[in-house]
Structure formats: C-alpha cells, structure tokens
Amino acid sequence: MKIFVTGCAGLLGANYTRHLLSNGHEVVGIDDLSGGYKSFVPKGENFTFVKLNLERRKKVVELFDQHKPDVLLHFAAYAAEGLSPFIRNFNYRNNLICSTNLINECINYDTKVIFTSSMAVYGEQEPPFIEDKKPQPVDPYGIAKYAVECDLELARDQFGLRYTIVRPHNVLGIYQNIWDKYRNVIGIFIRKALNGEPLLIYGDGEQTRAFSDIKYYMEPFDKLLTDFDGEVFNIGADKYFTLNEVASVVQKIAKKYGYEVPIEHGEPRHEVKHAYCDHTKAKNMLDFRDETDIEDLIESMFVWAMKQPNRKVKHMEYEVEKNMYDYWKK
Ligand SMILES: NC(=O)c1ccc[n+]([C@@H]2O[C@H](COP(=O)([O-])OP(=O)(O)OC[C@H]3O[C@@H](n4cnc5c(N)ncnc54)[C@H](O)[C@@H]3O)[C@@H](O)[C@H]2O)c1
C-alpha cells in the first residue's frame, strides 16, 4: 500500500510511520517541521520525506499527482487547544484549511482518509464522552476539528470519499514535542523538571484527564487502513487522573533521576474541567485495548527526554492579547 502520513515529525506521525515501515508499507511523510523535529522523522528505503506546509495547495496537488496514495493518515495540526483563542486565524488555516487541501485531493485520487480529530469536539459535557454525543466544542481548536469532521461527511455523501475519524486524547510517548509551552501538560512538566523549574499547574489541579501510551494506537490504526468507512472512534485510556496526581508522578520520577522540583499553582485557564472518553466502540470493533501504566510511561519519556538536546522553547505570535494568561505573556 502507498500511504501518505502528514505530521510525520510529530508524536503520532513519527511513531505510526515507523510501525508502517516495519510492516513493509511504502510511506511518503509530509511535515513542515513547525511542531516536530527533523531528527524525529523516520528513515528507510520505503520512506520519502517531504518538507511542506500543507497550506501550499498547489504543492499538495503535485504530491498527490506524483504518488497517487491509497490511504492518507492526516495527523498534521497545531494542537494547542488552550492557545487557540489567541491564534484564531493561524488555528483555522493550519487545522482546517490545510485539511481541505488534502480532502480535495483525496476526492480526486480516491484516497481513503484517516483523520485524527480530537476529544476537544465534545466540549463541556458530562464525561465519559461517547461517539454519538453531539459535538459542542468550546474553543477554536475543537471547532476546526469538528469542521473537518463535517466536511469529510459531506465529501462522502457527495463524492463517495472513504474516511474514518479517530478522536484521540492525551496521548504520550517519545517523539513528543516537550519544548512547546502551550501544550502537552506532561511534556511541559518533564521539560521543566529537567531545567530545575517548578511544575506549574494552571488552576487548582483538580482537572481530570486520561493519559494513554502511544503504543496502543498502532493496531487500531492498522485496521482502519482497509476496514470501516464513515465511522468515528474514540481511542485513549479509560483511567483518568487529576493534574495534581500526574504532577506528583513527574516530581517523584524526576527526583529518582536527581532533579528536585516543587509543584506550584497559577492562574486557571479557560478549559474543560473533566474530559475523558468511553472506548467501548473501539474495543468492540477494532480490538482496541489500553494497558497504559502511567508511571512506567512517564519514566520512559523522562529517560528519553534526558537524552534530548536542550531545544529552544517555542513562542507563538499572538493575534489577540486580551485576557492573555500571565504565564504566557511575553
Ligand atoms: N497527542 C494528543 O494527545 C492528541 C490528542 C487529540 C488529538 N490529537 C491530534 O492528533 C494529531 C497528531 O497529534 P500529535 O500529538 O502527533 O501532534 P504533533 O504536534 O506532535 O505533530 C503534528 C505534526 O504536524 C506538523 N504540522 C503542523 N502543521 C503543519 C502544516 N501546516 N503542514 C505540515 N506539517 C504540519 C508539525 O510539524 C508536527 O510535526 C493532531 O491532528 C492532533 O490534533 C492529538
């Protein structure tokens, strides 16, 4: 199978591309390295890397014309949910318009789409979220993801496009960008611990999230390459933790490796308080199983992070400065 993977330098893309290559697939990986790193991009004789911003529509058209892929795994996005109200224009261009460039060509070349949406589409509802709950996103990131979901459905109805939507949540693993101060709470805690800085929790820390190990996503994605059409699947861990609990786990592991840091609390963010999903559908239809061990997972990430270069922390250009949180002010 010839497979396109967008976002191949990021967490899901770098891990799943390696899995595809080890199973003999031919992969073209696309990434503009805005949120991932060149050293995370896999290498291999069946792999071609294309550095490209997906906003460049003509280049996307050329790539599809050249390779005519069977399947597209569309992972590329800027998943900084809390920042998205301050970078509206960038959020919609990067997470929605780029997706439309790909959807056009998937229609033209009869390419099946596997799209990673997000738990963010559910918004502030009573968890655990089930796939058939009506999406009610509460931020531009969630709106962009839901808009892509709706567009895929339209493209199927009008043009017969085949697609599957996966709504992951709080995925963790190596090749995660831990140098971005706007996203991935555990990655941020790990970077701070390595730099000897306090672990800053936004608000009282009683927010709950379910963190899952990337390794449990590989087999469900394999099934989606050929099976299912028009389905939506939640994938992630069942067991949820408060941010106070995960901060304590990072603090304990950091101490084990010689880094002692305090935990502090800062201004609360505009965010959903309790967010985790029901995964019964993925368990029944994709044989999905999750055996995430949060302590082992954080320790393996910590050990990986210790070996990484001390990269520059990313700073975004804000489009709106009103009500900006103190910890993100320049
Ligand atoms: N990691 C999670 O917990 C999580 C949760 C819910 C949804 N998701 C979704 O899953 C997908 C993958 O997430 P991830 O954690 O691997 O993200 P990531 O940031 O690690 O990887 C995304 C990659 O996409 C690339 N990219 C971004 N914009 C691009 C553009 N315009 N053109 C080309 N490349 C571009 C980045 O450089 C990066 O390497 C995203 O769509 C994200 O919204 C992730």
Side-chain angles (χ1 to χ4, degrees), residues 3-17:
I3 301 175
F4 270 19
V5 176
T6 71
C8 66
L11 172 66
L12 271 83
N15 281 286
Y16 191 58
T17 301

Side-chain angles (χ1 to χ4, degrees), residues 106-292:
C106 290
I107 293 170
N108 287 331
Y109 288 90
D110 198 21
T111 304
K112 178 174 180 185
V113 185
I114 299 167
F115 172 61
T116 43
S117 177
S118 171
M119 171 176 79
V121 299
Y122 294 110
E124 191 80 65
Q125 305 193 46
E126 185 67 33
F129 309 135
I130 301 177
E131 288 87 345
D132 57 13
K133 280 201 178 180
K134 187 176 163 18
Q136 293 174 23
V138 295
D139 51 55
Y141 170 72
I143 292 174
K145 289 290 189 187
Y146 185 42
V148 177
E149 291 194 8
C150 295
D151 195 57
L152 285 167
E153 196 178 337
L154 277 184
R156 184 186 60 159
D157 292 348
Q158 188 168 1
F159 299 111
L161 179 75
R162 291 165 303 134
Y163 73 89
T164 309
I165 290 164
V166 175
R167 292 177 181 156
H169 55 106
N170 305 99
V171 195
L172 286 180
I174 63 168
Y175 307 123
Q176 184 155 54
N177 186 339
I178 60 168
W179 300 271
D180 184 328
K181 63 180 172 185
Y182 306 109
R183 62 189 178 130
N184 303 328
V185 57
I186 291 182
I188 295 172
F189 285 164
I190 291 175
R191 171 173 49 78
K192 292 211 167 202
L194 288 171
N195 289 337
E197 295 170 31
L199 311 185
L200 180 68
I201 297 175
Y202 309 140
D204 66 6
E206 288 305 297
Q207 306 92 307
T208 46
R209 297 290 184 269
F211 298 93
S212 56
D213 191 326
I214 179 84
K215 71 177 178 227
Y216 297 112
Y217 286 70
M218 305 293 114
E219 286 170 21
F221 278 136
D222 285 347
K223 293 212 168 56
L224 301 179
L225 295 177
T226 46
D227 300 345
F228 305 105
D229 183 19
E231 297 287 350
V232 181
F233 293 101
N234 293 331
I235 300 191
D238 292 326
K239 198 167 174 200
Y240 54 86
F241 298 88
T242 66
L243 295 192
N244 289 323
E245 287 168 332
V246 289
S248 298
V249 173
V250 175
Q251 188 183 44
K252 186 174 106 183
I253 289 165
K255 190 171 176 197
K256 179 173 167 187
Y257 290 93
Y259 301 84
E260 284 208 50
V261 284
I263 295 173
E264 289 179 0
H265 291 262
E267 199 185 351
R269 270 192 341 186
H270 171 81
E271 65 179 345
V272 174
K273 185 95 182 175
H274 302 292
Y276 43 90
C277 292
D278 176 279
H279 308 104
T280 310
K281 185 175 175 185
K283 285 176 189 164
N284 290 341
M285 291 172 70
L286 304 176
D287 295 329
F288 169 64
R289 66 189 169 91
D290 171 79
E291 288 165 17
T292 298

Side-chain angles (χ1 to χ4, degrees), residues 11-12 31-32 35-36 52-54 75 94 141 145 171 183:
L11 172 66
L12 271 83
D31 202 297
D32 66 352
L52 175 69
N53 182 341
L54 293 163
F75 295 131
N94 207 60
Y141 170 72
K145 289 290 189 187
V171 195
R183 62 189 178 130

